[in-house]
Amino acid sequence: MKKNIPDKNGHFGVYGGRFVPETLIYALDELTAEYALARRDPKFLKELDYYFSEYAGRPTPLYEAKNLSRALGIKRVYLKREDLLHTGAHKINNTLGQVLLAVRMGKKRLIAETGAGQHGVATATVAALFGLSCDVYMGEEDIHRQALNVMRMKLLGARVISVKSGTGTLKDSMTEALRDWVTNVRHTHYVIGTVAGPQPYPEIVRNFQSVIGREVKTQVLKKERRLPDYLVACVGGGSNAIGLFHPFFRDKKVKMIGVEAAGLGLSSGKHSASLGGGSTGILHGSKSKVLEDKFGQIRNAYSVAAGLDYPGVGPEHAYYQDIGRALYVSVTDREALEGFKLLASCEGIIPALESAHAIAYLRKTGRAVRKDAVVVVCLSGRGDKDLHE
Ligand SMILES: *Cc1c(COP(=O)(O)O)cnc(C)c1O
């Protein structure tokens, strides 16, 4: 048997763990204990399944993109259609799981932080569904940039709290949300939106998102009678990618490729590639690869895809990179826009700009991926939100 990852302290190799104020330890222990019970409770799993299928629209199709395959010169490219889910992206898999945990713990309020607003919308959605109050921290800058998502959250009954401290962007919102949680932990659950944060979040979020990879395994075995050669997904914090990768961790022949946002280019400093151009550090309560300046201050991430501009990455990805289990690459804004146009024009599917990074990587390196390969790409979200770009 291979060791479980993470270990009981939430370490993925040297990454992960808990770097939080003492006052949060109780809440993290409570969440750890509740999740340990819930994941073995048939009633919880049945309820999660129910909302996944009846509310969110699972299972999502594994669509064979024949025109795209031809255009890329690859034998078969399948798209895992997370873009077809309610609210338009994979984030709902995680917020549905976490709201069920919050209800089990008797919490009455959800808080979240959001950059582009996608995770805020997914959290406000489940808060409305379960009748919980919801406060979303969002940087002042981001509120201006993402007015439509702010309107959505308000319509769903959430309060959007403008964060003016620091640079008024995502990293400042994370600090404010943690501060709120410290003060209100008795009745409040903090919904982290990706496979980051202190233990137990990276594992919990991974397990909720792993429904993606489990479905892909069943679907691809049915269609191909074998496992795929490559799995490809974009990486912001890394939740859609780990959701696809993790169920294949022990299938050594399946290669995994995570695509980060190179923004204006890695050398420009304006990017979001924590694995490709970052260093080991602490962010959001855990240790991983982060973007920091020479004084150890967290830098702002940048990408044309708002959902990718997170200045860190989940600890499990840093670990997969260290042990060589997955390969991490990056594509620029310009390349991502080409991927966006390619998928729209040849398949009639407008992808989120985040997901377009994964398409763009294949477009760029068709040759590196064997011609006779079977490839599964996670189409993490739909692109209506990105048309103005
Ligand atoms: C938020 C988002 C991402 C990035 O988040 P991960 O945690 O890396 O998956 C990717 N795609 C879409 C559509 C998103 O909304």
Side-chain angles (χ1 to χ4, degrees):
M1 254 306 271
K2 263 195 74 96
K3 292 190 304 247
N4 277 335
I5 46 163
D7 68 13
K8 66 181 189 342
N9 295 318
H11 291 116
F12 301 84
V14 301
Y15 308 104
R18 285 181 183 172
F19 295 82
V20 295
E22 195 62 33
T23 40
L24 282 183
I25 299 296
Y26 171 78
L28 294 171
D29 283 345
E30 181 192 27
L31 180 60
T32 307
E34 192 67 42
Y35 180 64
L37 294 176
R39 66 186 298 187
R40 283 180 195 80
D41 178 355
K43 213 177 122 230
F44 177 84
L45 298 174
K46 205 172 149 203
E47 209 179 0
L48 183 60
D49 252 11
Y50 171 81
Y51 285 102
F52 273 1
S53 65
E54 302 293 313
Y55 187 72
R58 305 211 69 90
T60 57
L62 184 70
Y63 167 70
E64 185 188 341
K66 291 192 174 130
N67 299 332
L68 180 69
S69 307
R70 205 171 305 122
L72 294 171
I74 296 172
K75 182 176 165 200
R76 256 196 294 285
V77 178
Y78 288 100
L79 302 176
K80 181 58 174 166
R81 299 289 311 271
E82 295 295 293
D83 60 315
L84 295 177
L85 289 173
H86 177 47
T87 69
H90 67 293
K91 287 190 171 75
I92 195 80
N93 301 327
N94 170 43
T95 55
L96 276 173
Q98 286 199 49
V99 77
L100 289 179
L101 281 177
V103 169
R104 259 181 91 103
M105 290 185 290
K107 309 278 179 181
K108 305 282 182 244
R109 173 175 176 254
L110 300 181
I111 56 169
E113 88 281 328
T114 196
Q118 309 279 94
H119 173 57
V121 170
T123 304
T125 298
V126 299
L129 178 63
F130 286 88
L132 305 184
S133 72
C134 180
D135 288 339
V136 179
Y137 287 89
M138 191 165 181
E140 195 177 25
E141 264 302 298
D142 291 332
I143 288 180
H144 291 304
R145 286 192 293 209
Q146 308 289 340
L148 197 58
N149 277 337
V150 173
M151 265 167 60
R152 286 195 180 101
M153 287 183 267
K154 289 185 174 163
L155 186 62
L156 292 162
R159 195 157 61 115
V160 178
I161 303 176
S162 170
V163 176
K164 298 184 174 65
S165 58
T167 51
T169 55
L170 181 62
K171 60 178 184 169
D172 309 297
S173 307
M174 295 192 302
T175 311
E176 288 304 314
L178 274 170
R179 198 169 286 163
D180 178 316
W181 204 34
V182 171
T183 320
N184 301 300
V185 9
R186 289 180 73 94
H187 64 285
T188 296
H189 174 67
Y190 178 22
V191 185
I192 291 186
T194 188
V195 282
Q199 188 237 355
Y201 283 101
E203 182 182 8
I204 291 181
V205 178
R206 173 195 77 195
N207 290 352
F208 289 144
Q209 292 293 2
S210 288
V211 66
I212 301 174
R214 284 197 308 272
E215 284 178 8
V216 164
K217 209 174 218 185
T218 310
Q219 291 167 319
V220 81
L221 281 173
K222 197 161 166 211
K223 290 172 200 278
E224 293 286 332
R225 311 235 152 261
R226 68 174 180 93
L227 293 178
D229 299 297
Y230 294 90
L231 304 172
V232 185
C234 65
V235 175
S239 69
N240 85 91
I242 222 70
L244 175 64
F245 294 175
H246 182 72
F248 293 89
F249 183 77
R250 287 172 196 182
D251 301 307
K252 288 278 139 55
K253 284 192 177 150
V254 179
K255 298 187 184 68
M256 302 168 176
I257 302 174
V259 187
E260 294 189 301
L264 302 181
L266 290 189
S267 57
S268 73
K270 298 209 72 171
H271 62 81
S272 306
S274 308
L275 291 162
S279 48
T280 302
I282 311 274
L283 175 72
H284 216 166
S286 76
K287 187 193 267 192
S288 189
K289 288 284 157 73
V290 302
L291 297 178
E292 53 187 15
D293 65 20
K294 61 176 190 281
F295 305 108
Q297 295 294 316
I298 296 298
R299 284 196 325 212
N300 272 319
Y302 165 80
S303 167
V304 67
L308 297 183
D309 65 4
Y310 177 70
V313 65
E316 190 161 356
H317 285 291
Y319 174 68
Y320 283 17
Q321 185 184 44
D322 275 9
I323 63 171
R325 183 62 191 91
L327 173 70
Y328 295 91
V329 297
S330 60
V331 306
T332 63
D333 285 358
R334 189 186 294 266
E335 290 164 337
L337 286 166
E338 292 301 322
F340 182 83
K341 285 190 252 174
L342 174 65
L343 189 64
S345 64
C346 77
E347 293 287 351
I349 297 172
I350 299 173
L353 273 173
E354 291 83 359
S355 325
H357 282 70
I359 305 287
Y361 174 72
L362 288 177
R363 182 174 171 274
K364 187 163 116 173
T365 69
R367 260 182 300 275
V369 171
R370 288 193 341 262
K371 263 192 157 56
D372 59 347
V374 172
V375 181
V376 175
V377 179
C378 187
L379 205 67
S380 55
R382 66 170 183 237
D384 317 44
K385 67 182 180 62
D386 295 320
L387 290 183
H388 61 276
E389 300 286 350

